[in-house]
Amino acid sequence: MNIVFIGAGNVATNLCRAFYRNGHDILQVFSRTSDSADRMSDLFECSATTNIDDVRKDADVYVFAVKDSVLEELAIRLAARIPDKMFVHTAGSMPLEVLKVTHKAVMYPMQTFSKFREVDMRDVPVFVEAATREDLSVVRALSESVSSNVREMSSEDRRYLHLAAVYCCNFVNHCYVLGAEVLSRRGIPFDVMLPLIDETASKVHSCTPSKAQTGPAIRWDENVIEKHRQLLNDAPSLRELYDMFSKSIHDRNSNVVVSDE
């Protein structure tokens, strides 16, 4: 397919790379910043523009991978020029109907993406939705060209999927940030945590997250908890989070029998 990308961020870079390597033609990339547009142009041998009114009209599909706050505005402006083309957005929390064109679809790849790190899209679950069977066929074919795990999902269900992803990814990574700050105060390198992080993530492949839970909060070891709290006397925001997490873990596992590990 001939594809134009609206956006040049983390998601756009990784999707663009996957499409490019699987035989699709990237005709053009739009970004509001010239550095991002030019970088994508160099990577994928396509033209670039910073003006939405200069976006090409001859693509088969226009993929929107932009912030939620500008998605509708950009889609409306582009639809005014090319109302008969297929628009696809990649947002987890935005409904299908935000695209004000006849042919529209959603292609939400549920993964954490960074420009500097390449992700194997074959393993990424992609959730699709469309207004008609014809449009669904197009977005499914496009998705299946890069992913082996494509599923249909409504806009309403996708909102909850995205919320769960924030807990399982963004909040977890923020905990890494906070843990790294605690370690850095004592000059301890963060890489000592990597085997623990890897085992924690690996464990939920074979058991439920609830069953995988360990630590002082699940068994309500007040001696350990209080010692940890004292270490955070000079960091009240961290201590508040520690208390909230500990209570949440304990409350959700209050009927679970745990070992003394």
Side-chain angles (χ1 to χ4, degrees):
M1 292 185 186
N2 295 321
I3 302 172
V4 166
F5 262 85
I6 309 301
N10 294 329
V11 175
T13 299
N14 280 273
L15 277 182
C16 212
R17 182 183 292 115
F19 289 145
Y20 181 75
R21 290 183 175 174
N22 284 277
H24 298 284
D25 291 325
I26 310 302
L27 300 184
Q28 188 181 46
V29 172
F30 161 82
S31 174
R32 286 181 167 177
T33 59
S34 57
D35 287 347
S36 295
D38 292 341
R39 178 186 59 82
M40 293 275 280
S41 174
D42 292 341
L43 282 174
F44 306 114
E45 302 178 302
C46 62
S47 64
T49 182
T50 58
N51 186 345
I52 194 68
D53 295 323
D54 290 335
V55 168
R56 294 175 58 157
K57 299 181 179 181
D58 56 343
D60 300 312
V61 176
Y62 293 79
V63 177
F64 290 77
V66 294
K67 294 190 298 184
D68 289 2
S69 59
V70 300
L71 172 58
E72 185 169 15
E73 171 202 343
L74 291 174
I76 288 173
R77 287 187 61 181
L78 193 57
R81 296 178 55 236
I82 44 174
D84 57 338
K85 291 302 182 87
M86 178 80 164
F87 285 12
V88 176
H89 82 64
T90 62
S93 294
M94 297 295 282
L96 171 65
E97 297 305 322
V98 74
L99 301 175
K100 311 297 185 185
V101 288
T102 301
H103 301 292
K104 52 183 172 286
V106 176
M107 176 187 180
Y108 171 52
M110 195 181 68
Q111 183 55 280
T112 173
F113 294 111
S114 297
K115 292 180 183 179
F116 61 83
R117 182 174 174 85
E118 187 170 342
V119 172
D120 184 359
M121 281 294 299
R122 300 307 308 178
D123 299 326
V124 175
V126 177
F127 298 87
V128 298
E129 180 186 11
T132 67
R133 286 191 175 186
E134 178 187 358
D135 294 340
L136 183 62
S137 178
V138 172
V139 74
R140 178 173 278 279
L142 184 62
S143 301
E144 288 178 346
S145 72
V146 295
S147 171
S148 59
N149 188 358
V150 178
R151 312 182 189 196
E152 292 181 37
M153 182 172 285
S154 69
S155 290
E156 185 65 15
D157 283 348
R158 195 175 65 255
R159 290 171 60 207
Y160 288 91
L161 184 75
H162 191 256
L163 172 61
V166 168
Y167 274 100
C168 292
C169 174
N170 307 132
F171 288 173
V172 169
N173 191 77
H174 185 61
C175 286
Y176 298 161
V177 173
L178 300 181
E181 289 178 4
V182 170
L183 292 172
S184 68
R185 292 155 138 203
R186 307 299 298 178
I188 304 171
F190 182 73
D191 61 13
V192 301
M193 289 289 165
L194 296 181
L196 176 65
I197 290 170
D198 291 344
E199 173 59 16
T200 303
S202 178
K203 196 185 300 186
V204 295
H205 284 261
S206 58
C207 67
T208 65
S210 180
K211 187 175 180 180
Q213 189 72 56
T214 61
I218 193 172
R219 60 183 183 266
W220 205 246
D221 189 330
E222 295 181 84
N223 182 50
V224 174
I225 291 171
E226 186 53 35
K227 286 179 179 177
H228 286 170
R229 295 185 76 255
Q230 289 175 12
L231 293 176
L232 296 171
N233 281 339
D234 61 344
S237 63
L238 286 182
R239 188 170 65 180
E240 182 180 3
L241 280 173
Y242 183 94
D243 290 344
M244 290 172 61
F245 273 119
S246 295
K247 185 177 186 305
S248 181
I249 291 169
H250 178 67
D251 288 349
R252 280 166 173 74
N253 293 275
S254 58
N255 296 321
V256 176
V257 176
V258 296
S259 68
D260 59 357
E261 62 180 340

